[in-house]
Amino acid sequence: MFEITEEIDHHTTEKIRRRADYEIQRYMPRKAIFDFSSVSFMDSAGIGLIIGRYKLLSMLGGELEIVNVKPNVEKILHISGILKIISICKKEIV
């Protein structure tokens, strides 16, 4: 599980991307779970971040799932169309 502990915007995406890519390439997971429980804000840079990790995992034969999404962030994910390719687990994982 990859825990995101900050808002996802153009100021933080590069740091999150580097950390996520390192962990994905190091462990080569069949499923990467991104925990959004600490994410209260996400902008379009976050959409790009998620799509990029989805593509990386797909190339490696894995999949991406998002958990613990707050309603305002879920709305952004829905509007962006990401939910057509990446699933959100409704059950809270702690």
Side-chain angles (χ1 to χ4, degrees):
M1 183 170 320
F2 186 79
E3 185 177 1
I4 301 174
T5 58
E6 55 202 322
E7 295 179 348
I8 305 174
D9 59 23
H10 70 280
H11 297 292
T12 61
T13 51
E14 184 61 26
K15 181 176 86 170
I16 297 168
R17 183 195 62 75
R18 280 194 310 268
R19 198 174 96 220
D21 287 356
Y22 172 78
E23 295 295 324
I24 290 167
Q25 292 172 1
R26 179 177 178 196
Y27 295 107
M28 304 287 258
R30 298 309 258 160
K31 180 186 278 189
I33 300 171
F34 280 35
D35 183 356
F36 271 53
S37 58
S38 297
V39 178
S40 58
F41 174 81
M42 184 176 79
D43 67 10
S44 60
I47 302 296
L49 172 78
I50 294 169
I51 293 294
R53 293 340 89 215
Y54 168 79
K55 288 180 178 180
L56 175 61
L57 283 158
S58 293
M59 285 183 354
L60 298 172
E63 61 181 285
L64 175 63
E65 185 174 279
I66 303 171
V67 298
N68 301 327
V69 180
K70 292 181 173 43
N72 59 322
V73 175
E74 185 173 355
K75 183 177 180 181
I76 292 166
L77 295 171
H78 177 72
I79 291 169
S80 72
I82 284 181
L83 300 182
K84 294 177 183 174
I85 58 172
I86 300 171
S87 64
I88 292 180
C89 182
K90 296 292 184 185
K91 184 177 180 184
E92 186 167 326
I93 297 174
V94 287

